[in-house]
Amino acid sequence: MHTRCRIWHPTVFEILSASTDFLSYAAAGCRDRRRKGEPTTRSTALGSKTADWLVENGPKELELLFRAIVYHPSAPILLTDDKGYSRDASSGVGRILGIPRAKIVGHRIDEFALPDSKPQVSEIFAALDGQGELEGSLGLLGSNGAPKHVAYTAKANVLPVRHLLVLHEKAEDNAEADVADAAVDAPPPWVKDFALFLLDTTGMIAAWYAGAERIYGFPAGAVIGEHVSSLYPQEPAMRGEVEQKLTRAVTEGHLASEGWHVKSDGTRFWANVITMALRQDDGTLHGFASIVRDFSGRHEQDEKLRRRRAKTRLSPLQSTIAGVVSGEFDQIPEANDTFLALVGYSRDDLQSGLLHWPGLTPPEFAPLDELAHEEGLRFGACTPYEKELLSKDGRRIPVLVATAVLKLSPFRWISFVQDLRERDRRESVEEVETSPKEDFGEIVGTSAALRRVQSQVEVVAPTDANVLILGETGTGKELVARAIHRISPRRNLPFITLNCAAIPTGLLESELFGYERGAFTGALSQKIGRFEMAHRGTLFLDEVGDIPLDLQPKLLRALQEKSFERLGGTKTIPIDVRLVAATNRNLTQMMGDKLFRSDLYYRLRVFPIATPPLRDHPEDIPTLARHFTVKYAKKMGRTIDKIPSETMNLLISYQWPGNVRELENFIERSVILTSGPSLRAPLVELQLDQAPFAGNVTLEQVEREHIIRIFRECGGVVTTTATRLGLHRTTLNAIMRKLGISRKDL
């Protein structure tokens, strides 16, 4: 794919650099509240430095996050300032005005108004300051000069000096048409207001803006300084669950979730929550930015759309990649030649900025695109889905699309596109399939979470793109890597694996690249490295986060140049290798800690796939339990045809911190203990893990049992266990000696 430097919309940069009114308003507001004795930001043990950072930078970070959400919807949404300038606009506004978003952002709203409506625009923003909410109608000019009559809903100060303007077209011919249009085309409730607020590093609400007051009904004084779990229905474990989500947001950069929240009057609503960790460049955490939308009506609609999409989604008869395209908001600055040929545009068209994702999409596919955007915000990537693209000459091209989010703030994405025209030509004689076509071997399960992973594998496997598999230990990352190789064009060529955590640091370079005879003491003959062994095939690097920092530049160069030199050699060896990497470590945090190179991270993370922890898809546990029971019963020559219901119930309710690997080991142990036709599982182990320790157990015993359990879950690998425990490898070895833990205990 041709690459170019990142293209940022200049108007957006001008807006950010000119936003002194935004920050000064926020700072002045906080000074006013301090003078009045009202709470602004919470600064206890965290210190005023963190609170001041939130005051100064929090609103700006919230606005960047807000733009990632607002730009995509087909509903016309405008984010404006006090002077009526558009700070951002959704693709729906471009549809109403008939012009791209780029020509709307940074311009005054009255530039698009009919002459007799221009004074009305100024009146809207003057009135908003006092009333907070307004509704009415405006006359706007379309791209061809034709008048557009729109209704609007305005909400003040979703952020300081940032107002929300939601539009929808209405007919003006007669009153009946107007009423009918309003009923059919009115924007959905979830776009009409947004709750934006800031949290400190402990989860306490530090700033609470007007949209949050309107949605929840709580004034700022009632919630600032309270823990964010107070917004949830009162359940005993809710605070702990919320703090776990904040911890995940710190680890993953951001976290999206949905669930019930409670308003001031006690009523509940289904909330879509996106929380982003706020860090400085040095990695220091200063708090969180959160945006909440009321999805009470939408979440059922999304589930119906997902079910309908699952029924209609067809796997291509022959997996061939058509194109790779990446973008920033709705712009497309980068695309490979096959994508350009698919849609009929030239590279000159691309470089001149003619390509916008909404402009390539027929209107009837906007809901699917919007659902994919929401899945990307929530899961990092969407389930592959079918849609059509509009070519430059107006033809419709059926495609299968999978999109991954590269960066949340500012928003960047990448899409992989498959051409389905050949399949459509033959579909009359082919059987419709509603599940992934390929054989995924030992990836057992039918949950939506696993189907999403399988669908992503099907999309990326036919390409040569690098894949980064992320997930906790024991979630089957190597099985996913093998599935990618098995259904790729390289399936009959080598699949070479290397566990970077299992090789001593000093030997890892020679394992990867090999060495020449005499390269060092003991190098008595030439050695072929894993890269060379995987030539024309696939190289799987497991635990890639354990690669030493000083070796990372050489790995990056091999990936970029597609060549390398053996240790002690001078000859450059060309390679054709498809790289798949996996890790259970937080590479984003490691980049902040200067332990992992950012350029290598982005080279590996062309297409990320997240393997879900077993606790997130417990519906697969019965299938997995039966699969492993049959597997090990056959291996041991036993006949087991029943898993008691009490055993299955406990298997489903257990959290499985070691994920599928822990479940498999438990079932294998159970089969060993079973002598009859009914599985005899040592359920007391699971019950003890879930129950609190008795009062007569010492802290040393608890520590010892915990380390042994984590060791078993990590397959006895010291480095992986140390990472899980948050310890250095040498520290863990010292603790093991102190507690008397040896290999026989594992």
Side-chain angles (χ1 to χ4, degrees):
M1 182 175 73
H2 293 273
T3 58
R4 302 169 57 209
C5 60
R6 294 199 298 178
I7 299 174
W8 299 101
H9 196 285
T11 307
V12 174
F13 268 132
E14 292 166 7
I15 290 170
L16 289 175
S17 62
S19 291
T20 54
D21 60 330
F22 183 52
L23 296 178
S24 62
Y25 179 99
C30 289
R31 288 194 296 270
D32 290 342
R33 289 194 290 275
R34 286 194 184 103
R35 283 197 296 269
K36 296 174 183 178
E38 297 175 7
T40 53
T41 57
R42 183 178 179 271
S43 57
T44 55
L46 298 175
S48 60
K49 186 176 180 181
T50 296
D52 290 343
W53 191 96
L54 274 179
V55 170
E56 182 178 354
N57 298 283
K60 181 174 63 176
E61 297 292 337
L62 258 177
E63 183 175 355
L64 290 173
L65 177 60
F66 194 27
R67 288 176 175 173
I69 296 171
V70 164
Y71 93 93
H72 196 280
S74 56
I77 306 171
L78 283 161
L79 183 64
T80 73
D81 61 16
D82 273 350
K83 299 175 183 177
Y85 281 92
S86 170
R87 298 296 183 173
D88 211 331
S90 70
S91 60
V93 179
R95 178 180 54 80
I96 282 185
L97 297 178
I99 55 177
R101 284 178 63 255
K103 295 185 178 180
I104 301 171
V105 177
H107 293 266
R108 287 178 58 92
I109 306 303
D110 57 13
E111 293 179 32
F112 310 105
L114 296 172
D116 58 349
S117 291
K118 289 182 182 290
Q120 186 183 353
V121 175
S122 299
E123 293 170 3
I124 291 172
F125 295 102
L128 262 182
D129 186 43
Q131 299 182 36
E133 301 181 53
L134 287 174
E135 291 187 352
S137 59
L138 280 173
L140 300 179
L141 278 170
S143 58
N144 58 358
K148 293 270 188 178
H149 296 283
V150 300
Y152 71 84
T153 301
K155 306 278 185 173
N157 295 317
V158 287
L159 279 170
V161 204
R162 296 294 180 264
H163 313 301
L164 191 70
L165 200 64
V166 182
L167 312 175
H168 70 97
E169 290 187 74
K170 66 173 191 172
E172 290 290 321
D173 295 335
N174 55 67
E176 288 186 9
D178 191 18
V179 172
D181 235 33
V184 174
D185 296 330
W190 68 269
V191 304
K192 291 185 177 181
D193 214 349
F194 298 78
L196 282 73
F197 52 92
L198 297 171
L199 309 176
D200 68 15
T201 55
T202 65
M204 300 298 181
I205 298 173
W208 186 257
Y209 300 107
E213 290 193 16
R214 288 188 292 265
I215 287 180
Y216 284 97
F218 294 108
V223 293
I224 290 180
E226 296 293 328
H227 196 269
V228 68
S229 59
S230 63
L231 304 178
Y232 293 74
Q234 296 305 309
E235 298 175 11
M238 186 52 67
R239 178 160 179 155
E241 184 178 330
V242 172
E243 289 177 346
Q244 285 181 0
K245 290 180 179 179
L246 293 179
T247 301
R248 284 184 61 189
V250 172
T251 302
E252 300 171 16
H254 85 282
L255 182 71
S257 62
E258 292 187 4
W260 293 107
H261 282 207
V262 65
K263 298 186 178 184
S264 61
D265 61 5
T267 59
R268 302 196 310 171
F269 70 97
W270 188 262
N272 174 282
V273 187
I274 299 177
T275 300
M276 182 173 70
L278 301 181
R279 294 180 179 276
Q280 282 184 293
D281 292 339
D282 63 2
T284 303
L285 178 69
H286 284 288
F288 302 89
S290 282
I291 297 180
V292 176
R293 292 171 289 172
D294 186 347
F295 270 27
S296 296
R298 173 165 175 164
H299 77 287
E300 292 182 5
Q301 168 193 324
D302 283 352
E303 288 305 314
K304 289 178 182 177
L305 193 57
R306 286 189 183 97
R307 288 194 292 268
R308 191 177 73 192
R309 182 181 63 185
K311 290 178 181 178
T312 58
R313 182 175 62 84
L314 308 178
S315 298
L317 296 173
Q318 190 174 7
S319 295
T320 54
I321 198 72
V324 182
V325 57
S326 67
E328 296 166 359
F329 295 97
D330 63 334
Q331 288 187 307
I332 299 178
E334 298 178 353
N336 67 351
D337 289 336
T338 48
F339 180 82
L340 293 175
L342 180 71
V343 293
Y345 286 87
S346 67
R347 190 151 293 278
D348 289 339
D349 293 332
L350 176 72
Q351 293 172 348
S352 63
L354 285 183
L355 272 70
H356 299 82
W357 190 257
L360 298 175
T361 301
E364 63 268 29
F365 292 99
L368 285 174
D369 273 358
E370 198 165 324
L371 178 62
H373 178 65
E374 291 294 339
E375 286 186 339
L377 292 174
R378 188 169 177 186
F379 303 111
C382 74
T383 301
Y385 65 103
E386 289 188 22
K387 62 174 287 186
E388 292 179 348
L389 291 177
L390 290 172
S391 67
K392 189 175 182 180
D393 60 8
R395 291 179 297 110
R396 290 185 172 226
I397 302 127
V399 292
L400 183 69
V401 178
T403 299
V405 174
L406 296 177
K407 191 176 182 183
L408 194 63
S409 173
F411 192 78
R412 299 190 66 222
W413 50 271
I414 185 169
S415 287
F416 291 77
V417 183
Q418 285 181 294
D419 186 351
L420 299 183
R421 285 177 292 184
E422 177 61 26
R423 186 214 62 188
D424 283 359
R425 279 193 287 268
R426 300 175 56 188
E427 69 177 352
S428 60
V429 294
E430 293 292 336
E431 183 179 351
V432 172
E433 294 178 15
T434 59
S435 59
K437 177 184 176 183
E438 302 292 346
D439 175 18
F440 286 91
E442 291 189 310
I443 302 180
V444 177
T446 58
S447 65
L450 276 187
R451 285 202 302 270
R452 181 179 291 109
V453 171
Q454 292 169 348
S455 298
Q456 289 175 270
V457 168
E458 282 187 330
V459 168
V460 76
T463 75
D464 284 331
N466 295 337
V467 178
L468 180 61
I469 307 171
L470 304 167
E472 298 177 8
T473 182
T475 53
K477 296 187 289 294
E478 182 171 352
L479 296 181
V480 172
R482 291 185 181 278
I484 291 172
H485 176 74
R486 188 166 55 248
I487 63 177
S488 74
R490 301 172 183 257
R491 64 178 67 86
N492 296 321
L493 296 165
F495 177 81
I496 305 299
T497 69
L498 177 65
N499 188 321
C500 302
I503 305 297
T505 301
L507 300 179
L508 189 55
E509 182 176 0
S510 62
E511 284 293 329
L512 282 170
F513 303 108
Y515 54 78
E516 298 289 353
R517 179 181 178 182
F520 51 84
T521 303
L524 303 179
S525 62
Q526 184 188 75
K527 175 183 173 65
I528 301 299
R530 303 298 173 98
F531 263 101
E532 216 167 338
M533 293 166 63
H535 181 57
R536 299 181 63 200
T538 302
L539 175 61
F540 174 54
L541 296 182
D542 199 5
E543 304 300 345
V544 72
D546 287 271
I547 294 179
L549 190 61
D550 57 355
L551 181 56
Q552 292 174 22
K554 187 167 184 179
L555 175 59
L556 177 64
R557 183 178 179 276
L559 296 176
Q560 289 177 332
E561 305 297 331
K562 298 188 182 300
S563 62
F564 69 96
E565 295 175 0
R566 295 193 194 106
L567 195 63
T570 57
K571 179 183 176 182
T572 299
I573 302 171
I575 50 168
D576 173 16
V577 171
R578 200 268 180 80
L579 184 69
V580 180
T583 183
N584 62 1
R585 303 185 71 177
N586 181 0
L587 297 185
T588 304
Q589 183 175 343
M590 291 179 67
M591 286 193 295
D593 295 338
K594 308 300 182 185
L595 297 175
F596 203 87
R597 292 176 61 103
S598 59
D599 46 7
L600 177 58
Y601 171 73
Y602 290 116
R603 176 66 64 176
L604 295 174
R605 195 182 183 272
V606 174
F607 193 87
I609 296 178
T611 55
L614 187 54
R615 61 182 174 275
D616 285 356
H617 55 111
E619 62 269 36
D620 286 329
I621 290 177
T623 305
L624 287 164
R626 287 189 286 267
H627 171 78
F628 292 135
T629 299
V630 171
K631 173 182 175 181
Y632 288 107
K634 182 178 180 181
K635 185 177 180 180
M636 300 176 194
R638 303 190 179 180
T639 302
I640 301 175
D641 54 20
K642 180 182 178 182
I643 300 178
S645 58
E646 61 271 17
T647 299
M648 189 65 79
N649 290 337
L650 189 55
L651 294 179
I652 293 171
S653 64
Y654 184 63
Q655 288 297 298
W656 298 110
N659 295 298
V660 179
R661 181 185 293 122
E662 183 186 4
L663 173 62
E664 180 176 6
N665 293 341
F666 181 81
I667 295 296
E668 182 179 9
R669 190 157 61 253
S670 301
V671 172
I672 293 172
L673 296 172
T674 302
S675 56
S678 181
L679 186 70
R680 183 184 175 187
L683 301 181
V684 67
E685 294 182 15
L686 304 184
Q687 293 164 340
L688 286 175
D689 279 348
Q690 292 189 356
F693 285 98
N696 58 351
V697 177
T698 66
L699 179 61
E700 186 175 282
Q701 288 174 301
V702 174
E703 188 177 9
R704 188 177 191 277
E705 289 302 318
H706 180 64
I707 291 175
I708 291 174
R709 182 168 63 83
I710 298 300
F711 246 115
R712 289 171 178 168
E713 293 169 7
C714 296
V717 179
V718 175
T719 303
T720 307
T721 305
T723 301
R724 281 278 304 277
L725 294 169
L727 301 173
H728 193 275
R729 180 172 178 160
T730 56
T731 305
L732 177 59
N733 284 327
I735 293 173
M736 289 173 63
R737 287 193 296 272
K738 175 185 173 184
L739 298 176
I741 300 174
S742 62
R743 285 287 175 186
K744 62 182 175 58
D745 297 310
L746 309 181

